[in-house]
Amino acid sequence: IASPGYPDTYPPSTTCTYTFRGSQYQRVQLIFTSFSLRNAPPHLKPHESCQHTDAVAVYNLLCNTTMDLQEVDTFCGLSVPLPVMSSTSGLQLVLTSRTPLDVVTPSPTHSGFTAKFKFITNLGIEGGQQPIPGICKFVYNSSYTSNGTLYSPNPGGYYPQDTTCTYLFYGRPGEAVRLIFKYFDVEGVMPCNEATESDSLEFSNFPSADRKIPSFCGSVAPTVIQSDGAFFRLVFKSNSKFSGTGFTADYQFLDMSYQPYTIKKVIMSAETSSRLMSAWTLVINMLLLVCLQYLG
């Protein structure tokens, strides 16, 4: 898609609406390829700038209708926005040109925008097995691959709102899974729960919650995370507030069946056992003799 008139300057005092409707199990992904709108007045604060200048706003279509919209984000200026993904099967993009005709100065830098759109069922997550298309649930089995990379929804862009993703790891008997995070940006503050209106990343050694591992959010990545056994679960949750750019982690299944510090049972022959008993008896007798001499 492109703004009207692209690559020439888009018209002033104009509103253009682009509406995308996917099937029940699809999400809409927008990848901007160029972006150049008029800058906001310099006296405005950053969070106010897009409200008083030409801008592109993105909305989720709730119930797949344009009568019920949820704002995702608004973009303006010259920087190309990161990819955006809907939290429902519908999305709407609105270009609003607020500049009146009598103050417009033609400029090749105000060419508007271009973007690619996709209807996808895997939320942009490559790798892992997705049992049900459209459902953000992925399975990683060591019998299929022993290592790989894990991503949040819409990798490289803002993760969608109101989304829960479950990542399940199944190792062979005696294996454990280790996660090493390379990037982490999950919107929220400690303790990363509904009370603080935070998005979160939760870990568990069980199909249900695991109290011994805290939830994580913010911009500081967790340290190395390792499961206690062959099964491990990771759950990512986002709310309807702000979105971050998610996380990237490498995973690896490790063979824990051999532990170099495990105490092993030693089976001895009767002859060896008899010799050891004789040696211990001799040592004990010598210690008793020394004690008696000292006391005497």
Side-chain angles (χ1 to χ4, degrees):
I1 61 173
S3 54
Y6 187 89
D8 295 327
T9 304
Y10 53 89
S13 302
T14 301
T15 298
C16 286
T17 301
Y18 307 75
T19 303
F20 306 85
R21 289 188 174 93
S23 66
Q24 179 181 0
Y25 300 106
Q26 291 178 327
R27 300 287 185 105
V28 186
Q29 185 183 45
L30 280 180
I31 303 175
F32 291 93
T33 51
S34 66
F35 199 89
S36 177
L37 304 186
R38 296 181 182 89
N39 287 317
H43 67 277
L44 293 177
K45 297 179 180 179
H47 67 278
E48 298 176 338
S49 58
C50 291
Q51 301 174 11
H52 302 280
T53 189
D54 301 346
V56 168
V58 180
Y59 303 90
N60 289 313
L61 296 185
L62 304 180
C63 302
N64 209 21
T65 171
T66 57
M67 300 300 292
D68 194 0
L69 302 177
Q70 178 188 44
E71 184 176 359
V72 176
D73 211 335
T74 302
F75 308 104
C76 58
L78 303 176
S79 298
V80 179
L82 295 176
V84 177
M85 182 177 291
S86 66
S87 61
T88 65
S89 59
L91 183 142
Q92 188 174 91
L93 182 150
V94 180
L95 167 65
T96 303
S97 172
R98 296 183 174 90
T99 309
L101 180 61
D102 56 352
V103 299
V104 171
T105 301
S107 171
T109 61
H110 301 149
S111 56
F113 72 90
T114 57
K116 296 180 180 181
F117 66 91
K118 296 180 180 180
F119 293 99
I120 57 179
T121 58
N122 68 348
L123 290 89
I125 300 176
E126 301 292 342
Q129 298 170 302
Q130 188 180 21
I132 305 175
I135 304 300
C136 196
K137 181 179 181 180
F138 296 87
V139 176
Y140 302 84
N141 200 313
S142 69
S143 61
Y144 179 75
T145 180
S146 62
N147 60 78
T149 304
L150 192 71
Y151 300 94
S152 54
N154 195 32
Y158 300 100
Y159 52 76
Q161 300 170 331
D162 293 318
T163 298
T164 297
C165 288
T166 303
Y167 306 79
L168 301 175
F169 298 86
Y170 294 94
R172 296 182 178 90
E175 287 186 334
V177 64
R178 177 179 294 171
L179 300 174
I180 300 177
F181 286 83
K182 301 188 295 184
Y183 181 82
F184 195 84
D185 177 32
V186 176
E187 185 69 29
V189 294
M190 296 297 290
C192 305
N193 54 27
E194 294 182 1
T196 58
E197 298 184 327
S198 298
D199 302 333
S200 64
L201 198 61
E202 302 173 357
F203 303 91
S204 177
N205 288 288
F206 316 101
S208 58
D210 190 343
R211 294 182 179 180
K212 76 175 185 178
I213 307 178
S215 299
F216 289 87
C217 62
S219 58
V220 179
T223 55
V224 176
I225 300 292
Q226 184 166 313
S227 67
D228 290 344
F231 174 81
F232 201 58
R233 186 185 70 141
L234 185 155
V235 178
F236 168 73
K237 297 180 181 179
S238 67
N239 56 30
S240 60
K241 303 295 182 180
F242 304 101
S243 293
T245 47
F247 61 87
T248 303
D250 290 333
Y251 70 89
Q252 182 179 10
F253 288 96
L254 306 173
D255 183 5
M256 305 299 288
S257 59
Y258 170 71
Q259 296 290 345
Y261 301 106
T262 301
I263 299 176
K264 297 182 178 180
K265 183 178 180 180
V266 179
I267 301 176
M268 297 179 293
S269 64
E271 181 180 357
T272 302
S273 178
S274 177
R275 290 179 180 178
L276 286 175
M277 288 298 295
S278 299
W280 276 112
T281 302
L282 179 61
V283 170
I284 292 172
N285 288 335
M286 292 179 65
L287 289 175
L288 288 173
L289 180 61
V290 170
C291 290
L292 289 173
Q293 291 177 350
Y294 177 78
L295 294 174

